[in-house]
Amino acid sequence: MEKKDLRIVFMGTPEFAVGTLKALVENDYNVVAVVTQPDKPVGRHGSVLRAPEVKVYAQEHNIPVLQPEKMKDEAFITALRSYEADLQVVVAFRMLPEVVWAMPRFGTFNVHAALLPQYRGAAPINWAIINGETQTGVTTFFLDHDIDTGRIILQKPFAIPSDADVEYVYDGLMTLGAEAALETVDRIISGNGKVDSLPQEEMQPSGELKSAPKIFKETCEIDWTRTVKQVHDFIRGLSPVPGAHGKVTLPDGQVTELKMYKSAVLRQGLGEQSSTPVPVGIPANVPVPVGTLVRDKKHMYVKCADGLLEILSLQPLGKKRMDAVAYLNGLS
């Protein structure tokens, strides 16, 4: 079998999915149609419709687009079947009913932004960083009845630096996911539809299975009673979007709400290198309550359970994102 003989329907919505769709198209795979979410109302009154990034790319390359409200809708099922796909490739989409994922003769595989069976769920990148993981990756697996539980085809690891945020890991996994998808399709082509895969039960880690549930606003509230390292990982695991937020007690005793985007762990406390040395006169064990802002002329810190966390970038309510120096100048 050759590339041109394998009819592929691609399913995905956000920019992360565009990376794989683009790789398929630019490498001359036969993508016959795209399935994505309906256009989303935006603006103050929701009067403007914004097309998903996948739809925009597909239309630029004259690929037919389907946007079902419901995946079991008969009109959608009929339209999807008309493309006679041999294979469906899914990236950052929604849960599919069996009538959809079982339709192609070679099945449907998903590109997941984690090393399954760890981090099943909607937000694997965020939770891997929040939990302080030093490695994540991508997995391709065949869809089945449950979420993220199907037979694994291949995995590719990706290192997470100690200061990396979601944007860094997102960009890296978008590229790595596209590579994994192409390799998976090539294996299916070379095997004439057959490809080796392993049940996830055979890949269960010895420790705890960690999940990756959807992120909500209440998920993003900072708990300053946790350790410096835990709060640092929490902030970078939600940066830049949706952003971690927390109440901070200012030097004058007032309490304000701040969104945090970038932080750094001081040398003291956990033995990790900070972006700056600990200022003279501000020890990491400064005796103030957790959640209190501690400062010198150019540096801003918040007290956590075991020391001070340096804040480098933040956003006060109703204002734009700024660096710590600009914020401190506003407090003077």
Side-chain angles (χ1 to χ4, degrees):
M1 181 184 294
E2 298 181 2
K3 288 182 182 180
K4 63 181 178 64
D5 300 319
L6 185 74
R7 296 176 63 83
I8 298 172
V9 166
F10 181 85
M11 299 183 180
T13 298
E15 178 191 25
F16 189 86
V18 175
T20 298
L21 176 59
K22 181 179 180 182
L24 289 167
V25 172
E26 293 186 355
N27 286 277
D28 300 321
Y29 292 87
N30 186 19
V31 179
V32 297
V34 159
V35 181
T36 189
Q37 297 275 35
D39 294 0
K40 184 178 180 180
V42 295
R44 187 170 183 179
H45 303 291
S47 57
V48 177
L49 293 178
R50 176 180 295 167
E53 287 89 341
V54 161
K55 177 182 178 180
V56 172
Y57 182 87
Q59 290 182 328
E60 289 173 350
H61 293 80
N62 300 313
I63 303 171
V65 176
L66 300 176
Q67 295 179 274
E69 291 281 352
K70 298 180 180 179
M71 298 303 292
K72 292 184 179 180
D73 180 80
E74 286 299 327
F76 164 67
I77 297 298
T78 300
L80 181 63
R81 190 171 283 116
S82 71
Y83 289 103
E84 299 180 339
D86 301 303
L87 177 71
Q88 290 173 161
V89 179
V90 180
V91 184
F93 195 43
R94 58 201 287 189
M95 188 171 180
L96 303 180
E98 183 175 1
V99 67
V100 173
W101 57 256
M103 188 180 297
R105 59 176 179 148
F106 298 150
T108 300
F109 77 80
N110 186 86
V111 179
H112 187 73
L115 298 176
L116 293 173
Q118 293 287 18
Y119 295 105
R120 293 168 175 159
I125 297 175
N126 301 91
W127 287 107
I129 300 172
I130 288 171
N131 289 335
E133 303 288 359
T134 58
Q135 180 178 267
T136 183
V138 293
T139 302
T140 59
F141 68 96
F142 285 115
L143 294 188
D144 62 13
H145 293 92
D146 298 313
I147 298 176
D148 300 335
T149 60
R151 295 177 65 91
I152 290 175
I153 306 166
L154 66 84
Q155 296 185 315
K156 290 182 176 290
F158 182 85
I160 306 177
S162 61
D163 61 347
D165 61 11
V166 171
E167 186 172 38
Y168 174 89
V169 180
Y170 180 101
D171 290 344
L173 294 187
M174 181 167 61
T175 299
L176 194 63
E179 294 175 5
L182 297 193
E183 186 175 334
T184 300
V185 174
D186 286 344
R187 289 187 185 184
I188 291 170
I189 291 173
S190 63
N192 287 316
K194 295 181 180 179
V195 62
D196 291 336
S197 61
L198 287 174
Q200 291 191 31
E201 292 74 19
E202 294 186 14
M203 304 181 72
Q204 292 279 10
S206 56
E208 174 190 6
L209 272 183
K210 299 172 185 176
S211 61
K214 188 175 180 180
I215 301 290
F216 296 97
K217 184 177 181 180
E218 55 269 26
T219 312
C220 302
E221 186 170 359
I222 299 170
D223 179 3
W224 299 109
T225 67
R226 298 179 73 81
T227 68
V228 167
K229 177 64 164 58
Q230 287 172 330
V231 177
H232 171 65
D233 291 339
F234 187 79
I235 289 171
R236 66 193 183 95
L238 295 169
S239 179
V241 176
H245 61 88
K247 290 182 172 62
V248 175
T249 303
L250 302 178
D252 62 4
Q254 294 186 60
V255 176
T256 188
E257 182 94 8
L258 298 174
K259 185 173 282 190
M260 308 295 187
Y261 291 101
K262 190 173 183 180
S263 58
V265 178
L266 297 176
R267 291 180 189 176
Q268 296 181 4
L270 294 176
E272 296 201 13
Q273 183 67 42
S274 168
S275 62
T276 59
V278 179
V280 175
I282 302 185
N285 61 350
V286 59
V288 296
V290 295
T292 300
L293 186 150
V294 180
R295 60 170 294 182
D296 64 7
K297 290 183 179 180
K298 295 184 178 181
H299 303 95
M300 171 180 170
Y301 311 89
V302 178
K303 181 66 183 297
C304 300
D306 63 341
L308 297 174
L309 177 67
E310 182 179 7
I311 305 300
L312 303 176
S313 179
L314 68 151
Q315 182 179 3
L317 288 176
K319 296 185 179 180
K320 295 181 179 180
R321 178 174 174 174
M322 61 184 70
D323 61 29
V325 174
Y327 179 73
L328 293 175
N329 289 338
L331 294 180
S332 301

